[in-house]
Amino acid sequence: MTTNPRPPTLTTAGGAPVADSQHSITAGPRGPILLQDYQMAEKLAYLARERIPERVLHAKGAAALGKLRITGDIARHTRAHFLQPGRVTPVLVRFSGLTGERGCADAERDMRGFALKAYTEEGNWDLVGSHLPVACIRDPQKFPDLVRALKRHPVSHLRSSTAIWDFWSLSPESIHQIVMLFSDRGLPSSYRHMHGYGAHAFGLINDANERCWVKFHFKTRQGIRCLTDAQARATIAEDRESAQRDLFEAIERGEHPRWSLHVQLMSQQQAEALSFNAFDPTKVWPQDEFPLVELGELTLDANPDNYFAQVEQATFNPAHMVPGLCISPDRLLQGRLLAYADAQRYRVGTHHAALPVNRPRAPVHTYHADGAMRLDVPPRTDAYYEPNSFGGPRPDRRHAEPALPLSGDAARFDDRQGLGDYVQATALYRRMGSAERERLAANVAAAMAGVPETIQRRQIEHFRLVDAVLGQAIAAQLGI
């Protein structure tokens, strides 16, 4: 019979051994607690600080660890090491709901986040995507207003259908995502049974310093499974953590979810010849013109050991690129480069990138100094600024991107002119079967119930421009 080894001795945060962790120091058996009981004070202080501010968006999520294996070959398009044939890279993937707080139900109709962090030998690559291939805005100026419309009313502290439909009805570029969100695929049954999309266009750079444009798609190998609104209500009544539970338990059982990684590729010449802006995130690239190229496989095979350390403290930033990848002129993406890093410094801390879950596996050499959460002790050096004469890290021009030609006047242009916001939504709607069209109209009408009629009518006009039948069906169900 084996005996369990003696457990380690409990200590304070400073390492002092603890003799009793259940009873405070008091003045006699019935007297008050003494101020000298630092151990009690420390326990209470840590409890008060156990939570960091939740994410404004994507507050509730689940994550898993795994590997990204490259089986295809796009070496002629990119010099990124981790995208070369045969490479295997450790990853963390976080799934989430967009709108709700940390206590929301998983089965609500909402955008789902699909964020991937690849720990490559050249640094971290973060792809911050979702389960739909398009966004509902294209200018980051509108992002704070979108978030406020999605969140709780400042007076009632309830979510306001009026606010979000008012915002959407005044933002015609949202119609493509709205049709997707209220279609069958807008409500996945679990994180394992949905696709993931980078949504934005990114750049690839090859050894000859030539650039092409790329979109990333992760196609679930478990098959697409979705819920109707009625099924979602029944799921929420039984289990508010349905997606979290499904992912965690599947991995614990050894049923490791997998996705096929595909890319779409576009040259600069093709981008210039398109009838729409190739860098508009409310649009998809037609797959008959830009076919999917299978590149690899994503497998999630391990659950985190500690949710807070490896999921809640995980930070994702679309600015995290590696040599061979670059940013495109997508305006919404460019706004996210600023917003994500700023949010993470506020929410997690100045040196959040040094936490174990965020720290690159590649060497890090910066001149960032001091501040809260400085976790390491820098070596003695005279090279604490740049440029310097003491052997400190220096830029390397070999990693410079090719020049991106730009032209035009600097102004605040109206982004609605001539952009064809309804064309792709129309094509999507007309590919649906009659039953799915009926469910789409019913889902939209249910979501718009109780919204002031002036807003309903304004939004219905957008649906009529997608297809007259769709607009009429929604109007009929709303009785207007």
Side-chain angles (χ1 to χ4, degrees), residues 205-271:
I205 301 171
N206 64 15
D207 285 329
N209 218 31
E210 298 166 331
R211 179 191 287 112
C212 71
W213 305 114
V214 63
K215 285 197 173 188
F216 295 97
H217 305 244
F218 288 90
K219 301 289 189 178
T220 178
R221 291 192 175 177
Q222 288 69 241
I224 290 287
R225 293 183 191 173
C226 299
L227 301 173
T228 65
D229 281 356
Q231 290 171 328
R233 287 192 294 271
T235 298
I236 293 170
E238 294 292 330
D239 186 359
R240 295 178 63 82
E241 327 300 336
S242 54
Q244 168 95 27
R245 191 182 315 281
D246 175 85
L247 179 67
F248 182 87
E249 293 183 351
I251 293 174
E252 290 292 291
R253 291 192 304 267
E255 297 176 16
H256 300 153
R258 297 182 299 159
W259 288 259
S260 297
L261 169 60
H262 299 257
V263 293
Q264 286 179 288
L265 301 168
M266 180 186 294
S267 69
Q268 179 62 30
Q269 293 73 26
Q270 289 173 312

Side-chain angles (χ1 to χ4, degrees), residues 114-194:
F114 193 112
L116 177 143
K117 182 184 295 293
Y119 301 96
T120 89
E121 64 185 31
E122 298 178 288
N124 287 352
W125 174 55
D126 290 355
L127 185 69
V128 189
S130 70
H131 87 294
L132 298 179
V134 295
C136 70
I137 56 173
R138 51 178 162 254
D139 193 306
Q141 282 265 24
K142 302 187 76 168
F143 188 64
D145 302 297
L146 169 65
V147 173
R148 294 188 182 106
L150 287 167
K151 290 292 192 175
R152 296 179 181 271
H153 193 284
V155 177
S156 68
H157 199 55
L158 299 171
R159 293 194 199 169
S160 171
S161 298
T162 295
I164 189 53
W165 284 107
D166 186 41
F167 178 90
W168 280 339
S169 69
L170 294 168
S171 306
E173 69 270 28
S174 65
I175 193 67
H176 195 188
Q177 190 191 86
I178 291 172
V179 172
M180 291 184 181
L181 183 60
F182 288 92
S183 72
D184 288 352
R185 290 200 179 186
L187 187 44
S189 64
S190 79
Y191 296 135
R192 294 185 299 134
H193 297 95
M194 68 182 198

